[in-house]
């Protein structure tokens, strides 16, 4: 039974919190509503016959959600989308209350919820999803999320509590995700990426031993990290055959976005969306904040690629390398939302990508840690000329011996020039100032640094 | 000058490299290459021959997740552990960070499941106080107890940064008085208690260290160091990196080989950031 006074009360609270400018992301009306009625979410969803799509994974949640939302909307569905966060349930309840009429009617057909690694088991206690999309599991913020294996175990238990009606969309190329599907009785569809030529595995690969029997897996090809065509020689667990592994149109570059597109297209097809709407939906897709977002600022072109863990960072570097990027800015913060431990930067393969850049700007409150990582990734870095120093930008000194043996001279001409400055604001301004007209500045920030960068470039807070 | 070369054995790089651990290998390799010392990295895996293991000059181990830990220990027990123990007795420098020192101790009691017997290189025990116990997470700063390191040089020779660099006086700080500090990050559930046959590597200044109780951080036996610092311990602590390199050279060539000083301005800058963040003025 829906509690009408509660909905009304929740709506008043939401309106008040908006009025008081506490922020769009306020979750406390939902918190209070859930305290009063634990099953409010489920009741509202059932009453309105809204189908829930959950999406979990270390990387790709936001972009894939937005792609799927765009497709479903092109097909005429009304879609509610909620980004991930620690207070996800409160957030969902708040969002539902905000949009519900006082009689509890909601104008949505589908709701897409992004869920953090640890939240998945909690969420399925409160609602029954029609679809669950599991993208990948990589090492990310061990201080918050824990180890790859323990996340997978939690997900497996959570999956077992769901009824047969829930359909799963799983990544065949990630052994840990495919393993989750191996014993399930539910309807499972797999996506993957068609064979790549790459055989070498990056350092930041996590699942290289069989999740079932601990034997080292054989990879016949690798797309990136531990995603690829794999099998176990002992227990014969192997990459399931994907229903989809290529598509005719990709709105964003980078192989990681192929996974995102395939997952969105596969889910849309399972829902019954026609091919024309899928294509139109992807063509009309706009990247989410900081996820390959392009901004024009003072007639200069800037692209922002959120890069918050080793696999995501490598993927960003590969994407900008494919675009022959010359001007690059790294912004490393260590706020709670970024992860307070910045050790992971040593798992990023900078060695492979740095020589292609001409100017490297390093900023964020952990700028010196990032600078140090870069120093150890390259033969020699040369500081930018002294003009920048006058503007308050510190330039790091030559990182190598002054009496370096000859022969490295030829290398130094290929090495990028660099500068380090903790202030993101100063660094972004300086980088844009010196950016030639026809070039693009690529910014690879962690989460809170991305918010800072956007604030500078758009003048707006997004949270 | 003759051509110098050393080999670092890296324990199970694909199993024991949880979170930036390879930063230590990158650091040693680069600091050797800048000095034209040839450094080879020898991954120690299930396939590594005894001969190859006997030829290493430095041993490094990083952290492992639970599942991987089991695979590692199954391979390490037996022949490999006998050789490693022998080399450490002969003063080979070694560095174990994150969870790996637990495996080198007498035993480790996890939160759940059976006690894991260690290799017994360090006379110490580790236990996890239970699933609901607080993990010890955060930035950490500790003071190295050089006198506990058995190298022939009680004070390591290292460069404290180029003071004359530029106009912004990056290294005009009185770092010289505090060159025994190490800074980093710890993230562990287990608590370690040292026995009588080993000494602590450092004394905790800010943070938790071995157990959050007795102010000890890490462990030293001969030239082997264990530390709860996880991930890249060496890059922000170049004095420790150079101590390891120098010890390896002295052992291998049986003579005192001074290291060419490097410009470590950036290293000390990153080092100082953590110290300042934790309220320790440098």
């Amino acid at each position: 039974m829906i509690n009408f006074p509660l909905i009304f009360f929740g709506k008043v609270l939401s309106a008040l919190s908006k009025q008081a400018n506490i922020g769009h992301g306020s979750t406390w009306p939902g918190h209070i509503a859930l305290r009063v009625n634990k099953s409010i979410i489920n009741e509202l969803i059932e009453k309105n016959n809204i189908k829930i799509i959950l999406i979990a994974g270390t990387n790709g949640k936001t972009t894939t959600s937005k792609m799927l939302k765009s497709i479903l909307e092109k097909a005429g569905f009304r879609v509610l989308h909620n980004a991930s966060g620690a207070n996800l349930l409160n957030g969902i309840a708040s969002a539902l209350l905000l949009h519900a009429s006082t009689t509890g009617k909601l104008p949505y057909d589908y709701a897409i919820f992004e869920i953090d690694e640890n939240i998945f088991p909690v969420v399925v206690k409160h609602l029954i999803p029609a679809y669950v999309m599991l993208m990948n599991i990589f090492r990310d913020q061990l201080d918050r999320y824990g180890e790859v294996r323990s996340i997978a175990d939690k997900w497996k238990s959570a999956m077992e509590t769901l009824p047969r009606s829930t359909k799963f969309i799983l990544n065949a190329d990630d052994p840990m995700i495919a393993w989750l599907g191996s014993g399930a009785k539910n309807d499972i569809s797999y996506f993957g990426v068609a064979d790549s030529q790459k055989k070498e595995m990056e350092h930041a690969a996590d699942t290289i031993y069989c999740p079932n029997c601990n034997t080292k897996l054989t990879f016949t090809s690798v797309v990136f990290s531990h995603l690829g065509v794999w099998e176990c020689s002992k227990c014969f667990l192997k990459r399931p055959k994907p229903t989809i592994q290529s598509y005719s149109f990709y709105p964003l570059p980078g192989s990681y976005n192929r996974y995102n597109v395939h997952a969105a297209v596969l889910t849309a097809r399972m829902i019954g969306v026609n091919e024309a709407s899928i294509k139109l939906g992807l063509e009309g897709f706009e990247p989410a904040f900081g996820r390959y977002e392009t901004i024009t600022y003072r007639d200069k072109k800037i692209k922002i690629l959120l890069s918050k863990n080793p696999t995501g960072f490598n993927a960003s570097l590969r994407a900008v390398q494919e675009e022959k990027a010359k001007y690059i800015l790294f912004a490393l913060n260590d706020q709670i939302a970024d992860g307070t431990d910045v050790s992971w930067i040593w798992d990023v393969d900078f060695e492979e990508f740095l020589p292609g850049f001409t100017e490297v700007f390093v900023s964020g409150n952990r700028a010196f840690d990032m600078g140090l990582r870069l120093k150890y990734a390259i033969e020699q870095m040369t500081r930018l000329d002294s003009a920048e120093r006058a503007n308050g930008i510190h330039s790091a000194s030559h990182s190598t011996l002054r009496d370096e043996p000859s022969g490295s001279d030829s290398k130094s001409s290929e090495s990028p020039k660099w500068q380090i400055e903790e202030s993101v604001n100063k660094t972004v301004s300086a980088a844009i100032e010196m950016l030639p007209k026809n070039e693009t500045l690529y910014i690879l920030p962690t989460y809170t640094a991305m918010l800072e960068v956007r604030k500078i470039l758009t003048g707006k807070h997004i949270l | 000058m003759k051509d110098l070369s050393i080999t670092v054995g890296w324990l199970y790089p694909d199993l024991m490299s949880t979170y930036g651990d390879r930063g230590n290998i990158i650091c040693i390799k680069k600091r050797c290459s800048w000095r034209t010392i040839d450094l080879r990295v020898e991954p120690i895996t299930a396939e590594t021959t005894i001969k190859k293991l006997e030829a290493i000059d430095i041993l490094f181990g990083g952290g492992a997740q639970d599942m991987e830990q089991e695979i590692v220990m199954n391979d390490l027990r037996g022949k490999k552990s006998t050789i490693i123990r022998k080399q450490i007795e002969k003063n080979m420098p070694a560095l174990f960070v994150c969870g790996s020192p637990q495996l080198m101790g007498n035993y480790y009691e996890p939160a759940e499941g059976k006690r894991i017997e260690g290799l017994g290189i360090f006379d110490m025990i580790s236990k996890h106080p239970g699933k609901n116990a607080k993990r010890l997470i955060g930035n950490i700063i500790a003071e190295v107890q050089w006198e506990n390191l058995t190298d022939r040089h009680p004070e390591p020779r290292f460069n404290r940064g180029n003071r004359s660099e530029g106009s912004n006086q990056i290294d005009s700080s009185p770092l010289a008085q505090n060159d025994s500090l190490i800074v980093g990050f710890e993230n562990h559930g287990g608590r370690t208690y040292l026995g009588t046959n080993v000494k602590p590597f450092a004394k905790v200044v800010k943070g938790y260290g071995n157990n959050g109780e007795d102010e000890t951080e890490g462990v030293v036996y001969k030239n082997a160091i264990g530390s709860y610092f996880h991930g890249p311990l060496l890059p922000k602590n170049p004095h420790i990196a150079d101590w390891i390199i120098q010890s390896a050279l002295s052992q291998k060539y049986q003579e005192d080989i001074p290291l060419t000083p490097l410009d470590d301005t950036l290293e000390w800058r990153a080092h100082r950031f953590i110290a300042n963040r934790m309220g320790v003025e440098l």
Side-chain angles (χ1 to χ4, degrees):
Chain A
M1 185 57 211
I2 301 272
N3 194 332
F4 296 125
L6 183 58
I7 291 168
F8 183 72
F9 177 63
K11 287 187 70 65
V12 170
L13 285 180
S14 291
L16 277 176
S17 82
K18 265 195 140 175
Q19 271 304 314
N21 208 11
I22 293 171
H24 183 66
S26 176
T27 55
W28 55 272
H31 174 74
I32 294 170
L34 277 170
R35 286 290 284 273
V36 177
N37 178 359
K38 263 205 298 208
S39 45
I40 180 109
I41 295 177
N42 219 9
E43 286 171 13
L44 280 170
I45 282 163
E46 276 183 9
K47 179 188 160 77
N48 289 282
N49 197 23
I50 299 173
K51 291 206 169 60
I52 305 275
I53 302 167
L54 296 183
I55 176 163
T58 312
N59 291 330
K61 291 187 288 287
T62 304
T63 296
T64 309
S65 303
K66 289 210 66 172
M67 285 175 177
L68 184 57
K69 180 170 190 264
S70 178
I71 292 170
L72 293 177
E73 284 177 346
K74 268 290 179 286
F77 294 115
R78 298 161 304 170
V79 184
L80 174 70
H81 170 226
N82 209 70
S84 62
N87 300 313
L88 184 79
L89 282 174
N90 296 340
I92 291 174
S94 297
L96 293 176
L97 286 170
L98 182 66
H99 295 104
S101 71
T102 42
T103 55
K105 281 224 170 70
L106 277 158
Y108 297 110
D109 304 300
Y110 286 91
I112 305 174
F113 297 136
E114 295 174 37
I115 47 179
D116 274 350
E117 283 83 329
N118 288 332
I119 306 290
F120 183 30
V122 183
V123 167
V124 297
K125 283 185 190 146
H126 285 81
L127 48 85
I128 293 168
Y131 301 93
V132 175
M133 304 166 75
L134 302 180
M135 305 300 293
N136 46 56
I137 314 182
F138 302 114
R139 60 179 87 178
D140 183 19
Q141 298 189 29
L142 282 180
D143 49 327
R144 273 170 86 194
Y145 299 131
E147 300 175 348
V148 166
R149 182 53 194 243
S150 68
I151 293 166
D153 285 336
K154 280 185 206 160
W155 285 10
K156 199 165 180 83
S157 318
M159 284 170 73
E160 282 160 7
T161 66
L162 289 170
R164 290 270 190 107
S165 59
T166 300
K167 294 183 167 71
F168 290 103
I169 295 92
L170 306 183
N171 188 343
D173 292 1
D174 186 330
M176 197 61 94
I177 299 290
W179 169 74
L180 290 175
S182 62
K185 296 184 184 75
N186 296 52
D187 189 348
I188 295 173
S189 302
Y190 291 95
F191 60 94
V193 165
D195 285 12
S196 90
Q197 298 302 309
K198 207 174 132 188
K199 306 269 183 234
E200 286 278 292
M201 186 144 320
E202 296 159 22
H203 176 76
D206 294 292
T207 308
I208 48 178
Y209 281 74
C210 179
N212 186 47
C213 74
N214 277 1
T215 307
K216 194 156 186 174
L217 295 169
T218 313
F219 282 83
T220 48
S221 72
V222 177
V223 180
F224 64 88
S225 188
H226 58 256
L227 307 188
V229 178
W230 55 274
E231 66 178 339
C232 174
S233 59
K234 192 175 167 205
C235 74
F236 303 112
L237 187 71
K238 64 171 193 176
R239 176 197 192 228
K241 200 172 160 19
T243 312
I244 177 171
Q245 52 180 345
S246 64
Y247 189 69
S248 58
F249 171 73
Y250 297 100
L252 292 176
S255 51
Y256 57 104
N257 279 314
R258 296 188 173 238
Y259 284 105
N260 298 339
V261 168
H262 297 168
V265 170
L266 178 57
T267 309
R269 282 177 183 164
M270 287 166 74
I271 287 169
V273 178
N274 63 53
E275 290 300 315
S277 299
I278 292 176
K279 185 88 181 282
L280 283 172
L282 288 173
E283 281 166 359
F285 159 84
E286 294 275 342
F289 291 135
R291 274 83 169 184
Y292 215 91
E293 183 184 23
T294 306
I295 292 176
T296 305
Y297 179 80
R298 294 185 188 158
D299 286 335
K300 305 251 173 104
K301 200 171 163 192
I302 297 127
K303 291 190 183 180
I304 309 173
L305 291 84
L306 177 69
S307 303
K308 53 192 173 131
N309 52 45
T311 299
F313 215 117
N314 281 337
S316 295
L317 285 169
R318 194 161 300 114
V320 305
Q321 187 187 49
E322 278 164 18
E323 297 195 6
K324 303 197 166 38
K326 290 196 211 115
Y327 298 83
I328 193 152
L329 190 156
F330 300 113
L332 177 68
N333 280 355
D334 69 352
Q335 312 294 320
I336 304 255
D338 305 298
T340 55
D341 180 8
V342 299
S343 305
W344 60 270
I345 58 176
W346 292 87
D347 287 330
V348 179
D349 294 330
F350 290 104
E351 285 81 356
E352 201 183 310
F353 302 100
L354 277 183
F357 305 125
T358 47
E359 312 275 349
V360 176
F361 301 85
V362 184
S363 69
N365 72 328
R366 297 302 291 270
F368 292 103
D369 279 81
M370 183 58 99
L372 196 55
R373 172 67 188 101
L374 301 183
K375 170 178 171 177
Y376 281 82
I378 203 150
E379 212 49 51
Q380 182 179 341
M381 281 184 143
T382 320
R383 61 170 166 247
L384 286 162
D385 67 41
S386 53
E388 278 74 50
R389 297 184 138 209
N391 295 332
I393 303 283
H394 306 303
S395 296
S397 60
H398 278 274
S399 62
T400 46
L401 280 172
R402 283 170 216 292
D403 55 345
E404 191 168 2
S406 55
S408 64
D409 287 354
S410 56
K411 267 191 178 147
S412 68
S413 61
E414 293 166 18
S415 298
K417 293 190 179 125
W418 69 333
Q419 62 178 42
I420 302 174
E421 156 62 49
E422 287 163 290
S423 160
V424 173
N425 203 336
K426 277 187 194 163
T427 310
V428 168
S429 304
I432 289 171
E433 185 70 28
M434 74 161 0
L435 184 72
K437 261 265 147 62
N438 299 319
E439 295 290 346
T440 301
L441 175 68
Y442 291 84
I443 303 182
L444 275 60
T446 55
Y447 188 74
T448 65
M450 185 267 284
L451 301 184
E452 281 184 66
V453 168
R454 287 199 86 261
K455 168 106 182 10
I456 296 160
L457 298 179
T458 66
K460 280 177 274 188
H461 279 293
I462 61 166
L463 282 180
Chain B
M1 203 167 86
K2 64 181 161 189
D3 291 338
L4 302 173
S5 80
I6 41 179
T7 302
V8 55
W10 182 5
L11 289 172
Y12 310 92
D14 62 354
L15 290 165
M16 296 174 73
S17 190
T18 312
Y19 217 51
D21 291 332
R22 85 164 163 177
N24 299 300
I25 296 286
I26 294 173
C27 179
I28 292 180
K29 194 169 165 62
K30 255 327 198 219
R31 296 183 75 80
C32 283
S33 110
W34 287 328
R35 294 168 167 131
T36 63
I37 299 166
D38 179 31
L39 184 108
R40 279 174 227 155
V41 179
E42 180 72 50
I44 310 295
T45 67
E47 288 85 42
T48 304
T49 60
I50 297 305
K51 212 172 156 195
K52 284 226 160 115
L53 186 58
E54 280 173 334
I56 64 169
D57 305 301
I58 301 171
L59 183 63
F60 171 72
Q65 305 196 7
D66 290 346
M67 180 177 113
E68 282 85 4
Q69 201 160 293
E70 220 179 289
I71 308 174
V72 164
M73 288 312 281
N74 285 341
D75 185 60
L76 213 47
R77 288 201 185 95
K79 253 198 183 141
K80 277 192 183 122
S81 70
T82 315
I83 293 164
I84 290 172
R85 212 172 289 123
K86 211 191 289 171
Q87 286 165 306
I88 285 173
E89 285 296 336
K90 285 201 274 181
N91 294 321
M92 174 182 71
L95 177 68
F96 304 102
V97 299
C98 193
S100 64
Q102 293 172 348
L103 304 177
M104 303 299 146
N106 295 331
Y107 63 81
Y108 173 62
E109 279 178 7
E112 287 169 349
K114 288 185 303 210
R115 177 189 276 196
I116 300 166
E117 294 301 321
L119 299 191
I121 287 167
F122 297 123
D123 176 22
M124 63 182 204
I125 58 145
S126 308
K127 44 187 157 189
H128 196 295
K131 257 197 152 169
N132 298 322
K134 188 171 99 165
R135 274 186 86 78
L136 307 180
I137 303 179
N139 289 309
I140 171 167
I141 178 159
E143 188 169 9
V144 176
Q145 309 199 293
W146 289 110
E147 66 276 14
N148 292 350
L149 295 170
T150 57
D151 188 77
R152 285 174 296 163
H153 311 290
E155 283 296 318
R157 299 171 189 186
F158 59 88
N159 180 281
R160 295 179 192 114
N162 187 345
R163 262 146 243 265
S164 62
E165 175 61 37
S167 56
N168 35 45
Q169 298 292 309
I170 282 176
D171 250 359
S172 57
S173 63
L175 199 57
Q177 276 82 55
N178 291 290
D179 57 16
S180 285
L181 294 183
I182 47 172
V183 302
F185 199 92
E186 61 183 327
N187 180 355
H188 52 106
R191 271 71 161 168
T192 292
Y193 300 89
L194 304 184
T196 50
N197 204 19
V198 289
K199 288 169 179 160
F201 172 44
K203 181 176 184 288
V204 176
V205 177
K206 292 274 166 92
Y208 302 101
N210 287 343
N211 45 49
E213 299 157 29
D214 63 14
E215 293 187 339
T216 62
E217 166 17 62
V219 58
V220 173
Y221 177 70
K222 302 268 183 174
N223 279 346
I225 299 171
S227 171
Y228 261 134
F229 279 44
H230 89 173
L233 164 65
L234 298 181
K236 275 203 292 286
N237 299 294
H239 46 336
I240 307 300
D242 283 356
W243 180 85
I244 290 172
I245 295 168
Q246 180 134 38
S247 304
L249 289 172
S250 309
Q251 286 305 318
K252 178 162 180 180
Y253 296 101
Q254 290 297 311
E255 64 174 293
D256 190 14
I257 297 165
L259 293 181
T260 318
L262 300 176
D263 176 356
D264 287 333
T265 310
L266 195 51
E267 283 78 352
W268 292 117
R269 190 77 204 245
H271 179 100
R272 200 174 59 186
F273 174 85
I274 295 296
N276 291 347
R277 162 81 72 90
M278 302 198 71
V280 176
E281 281 301 317
L282 290 183

